[in-house]
Amino acid sequence: MDKYSDTARIALAHVHGGSDATGVSEAVRDTATDAQECDRDLELDEAMTRKALDLLGSRRNDRYEAALGALREDTRGWWADILTYEEDDLDEGETVYSADPDHLRRFIEKRVIPWFARRRTELANR
C-alpha cells in the first residue's frame, strides 16, 4: 500500500463501506483530463454492455455469440473467468454459470450493471 491508502480508506468510508482503496492513489493524482477520460470510458463500456443485452433479447439464432462480441474485451475476459468457477469457488447463493444466452444475461444484470453503478460512485467521489 502506498501513503495514500489509509487516508483514502478513511475518506471513502461512506462509499460502499470504504474498505477498498484500490486505485485511490491514482485517483488522487488524476487530472481533469484523466477524470473525463475515465467517465467517457465508463459510458462507452456501459453502452457496449447494453447493446449486448439488446442482442441477448433478440430473436437472432446467434444471439449469444453476437452479444459476446458486442461486449468490451475486458468484460469478455471477466465472463471467461466466471465460466471457470466451480461450485466450491462460489459464495453462498451463487450458481455456476454456463456459456449460454440466459446465463450471460444473468451475469450482465447481476454483476456487470451493478459494477457500473459502483464505478460511477467511485469516480464521483475521487
Side-chain angles (χ1 to χ4, degrees):
M1 265 193 228
D2 63 28
K3 65 183 180 180
Y4 297 113
S5 295
D6 284 337
T7 303
R9 184 180 48 74
I10 293 165
L12 296 174
H14 67 288
V15 180
H16 306 296
S19 61
D20 184 11
T22 304
V24 172
S25 61
E26 290 84 8
V28 169
R29 292 185 289 266
D30 268 358
T31 65
T33 302
D34 294 333
Q36 290 173 345
E37 188 173 317
C38 287
D39 290 339
R40 280 192 305 271
D41 183 59
L42 184 62
E43 293 301 320
L44 177 61
D45 190 1
E46 188 170 14
M48 293 172 76
T49 301
R50 294 208 179 270
K51 177 168 178 56
L53 275 175
D54 289 344
L55 289 164
L56 287 168
S58 73
R59 294 178 180 234
R60 292 174 59 147
N61 290 335
D62 67 340
R63 63 191 173 122
Y64 175 79
E65 294 79 9
L68 202 55
L71 290 173
R72 201 164 84 165
E73 183 178 347
D74 56 348
T75 307
R76 282 193 309 269
W78 185 10
W79 174 240
D81 288 344
I82 292 284
L83 290 175
T84 67
Y85 290 3
E86 296 181 13
E87 197 70 40
D88 52 337
D89 296 326
L90 303 174
D91 293 330
E92 186 177 326
E94 290 186 313
T95 58
V96 174
Y97 286 97
S98 300
D100 64 51
D102 292 334
H103 282 179
L104 180 56
R105 174 184 291 284
R106 186 180 321 151
F107 164 73
I108 291 171
E109 291 173 345
K110 301 264 184 196
R111 295 194 180 213
V112 181
I113 298 296
W115 180 86
F116 291 132
R118 287 190 306 274
R119 182 66 176 143
R120 202 166 270 111
T121 300
E122 291 168 0
L123 292 173
N125 286 286
R126 66 181 150 205

